[in-house]
Amino acid sequence: MNTENEILSALFFYKAQILTGALIGVLTALLGVFVILRRMIFSGIALSQAASAAVVLTLLVQLHSEPVVFAVTLALFSPFYFLQQKAERNPDAVLAGALVFFAALGQVLLAFGAGAQNHLITAFFGNILTMPEDEWKHLWMPLTVGSIAFAYLYRPLLAASFDRVYAKNSGLRPALIELPFFLLLTACLTTAIYLMGSFYSIAHLVIPGLIGLAFARSMGRAFAIAAVVSLVGTFLGFLISLIPIEVAGTTINLPTSSTVVMVLAAFL
């Protein structure tokens, strides 16, 4: 009974963090459906590595805030983004180069800072449960803006994802759709990484969308399934991570982001 009360108390204490992490996960999962449809998974993973490097860099120079991480991520990844669009034959090769470059850059940057292990944990696993209230409360505004932007881009993105020729004939300009989508994806991933780490963002970007597209016969249901999988997986991951476990006479709690990732992976 005491354990159940402790878990309920923890859920109530962290309710805002859980809700924020869940909503970020859902938005990432919805964008992930488009990422999968457009065969951009490799691009999304490379982008997440760029954001992780940006997290480490902003921590080292003590300018760590979500808008700064977003701006640094854009500056780091944009050259690779435009280069792979021009590389008609081997765009994946450019993204592979970006992936290993940003992974190496993050490790090199860690060599310059004290407390490198803490920076690495923040970049890969986030720190939403230990983050001060002022740090995560301001994220509700970009979450709202991102949701509105997604709703506005939904139909043009759907048309461009299935048939670019049809989209052009319908008066849509795919080039004008690509850039807003790239900016929205970058903002969403940097926010997710800022709070929950790169593994969390990649898991939500890939797994819920894969499940939704595998089981649904319409795009609306695919998005609905992806959202539910993301929401349930996040909540269960938070819940399991708050359960105290006795190990060799010591009480421990599982790391939140990693637990969410493992729950999502179990859904596969």
Side-chain angles (χ1 to χ4, degrees):
M1 181 64 81
N2 289 334
T3 301
E4 292 178 359
N5 290 334
E6 290 176 5
I7 295 172
L8 289 174
S9 298
L11 284 173
F12 179 78
F13 183 79
Y14 291 118
K15 62 182 183 300
Q17 288 93 325
I18 295 172
L19 182 58
T20 304
L23 291 178
I24 291 174
V26 168
L27 182 57
T28 305
L30 294 178
L31 290 173
V33 175
F34 282 120
V35 167
I36 295 170
L37 284 174
R38 300 165 71 84
R39 302 180 185 274
M40 291 176 58
I41 294 178
F42 209 175
S43 181
I45 294 174
L47 178 58
S48 71
Q49 288 298 316
S52 297
V55 168
V56 174
L57 180 60
T58 56
L59 283 168
L60 289 176
V61 298
Q62 298 182 350
L63 290 174
H64 190 63
S65 67
E66 195 270 335
V68 175
V69 173
F70 171 71
V72 174
T73 302
L74 278 181
L76 290 174
F77 190 75
S78 290
F80 291 96
Y81 172 75
F82 291 111
L83 182 60
Q84 65 91 19
Q85 285 196 327
K86 292 185 177 181
E88 296 180 0
R89 292 186 177 181
N90 300 300
D92 286 348
V94 175
L95 295 173
L99 176 63
V100 296
F101 171 75
F102 290 123
L105 177 62
Q107 187 174 12
V108 169
L109 289 172
L110 287 172
F112 287 92
Q117 184 176 1
N118 292 332
H119 294 335
L120 183 66
I121 291 173
T122 298
F124 284 161
F125 302 105
N127 62 345
I128 189 171
L129 293 185
T130 59
M131 186 176 288
E133 184 175 349
D134 293 339
E135 286 288 323
W136 53 261
K137 257 192 169 181
H138 78 279
L139 294 172
W140 282 89
M141 180 58 71
L143 266 176
T144 303
V145 173
S147 300
I148 294 172
F150 176 80
Y152 180 77
L153 290 172
Y154 176 78
R155 291 189 178 279
L157 273 172
L158 205 58
S161 298
F162 280 107
D163 192 339
R164 294 175 67 90
V165 175
Y166 170 78
K168 288 181 180 179
N169 293 336
S170 299
L172 297 174
R173 298 182 62 184
L176 296 180
I177 299 172
E178 297 286 347
L179 185 57
F181 178 69
F182 169 64
L183 293 175
L184 179 59
L185 180 62
T186 303
C188 186
L189 286 178
T190 53
T191 302
I193 291 170
Y194 180 73
L195 288 177
M196 303 291 290
S198 63
F199 297 136
Y200 177 94
S201 67
I202 293 172
H204 280 275
L205 189 68
V206 175
I207 296 174
L210 281 174
I211 296 174
L213 291 170
F215 285 97
R217 295 186 178 181
S218 68
M219 289 307 303
R221 291 184 179 180
F223 281 105
I225 292 173
V228 170
V229 169
S230 173
L231 194 64
V232 173
T234 301
F235 179 77
L236 285 178
F238 267 97
L239 178 62
I240 294 171
S241 72
L242 293 175
I243 298 175
I245 302 173
E246 292 290 334
V247 178
T250 303
T251 302
I252 67 168
N253 289 89
L254 299 176
T256 302
S257 294
S258 297
T259 307
V260 173
V261 171
M262 291 183 68
V263 171
L264 287 175
F267 286 166
L268 285 174

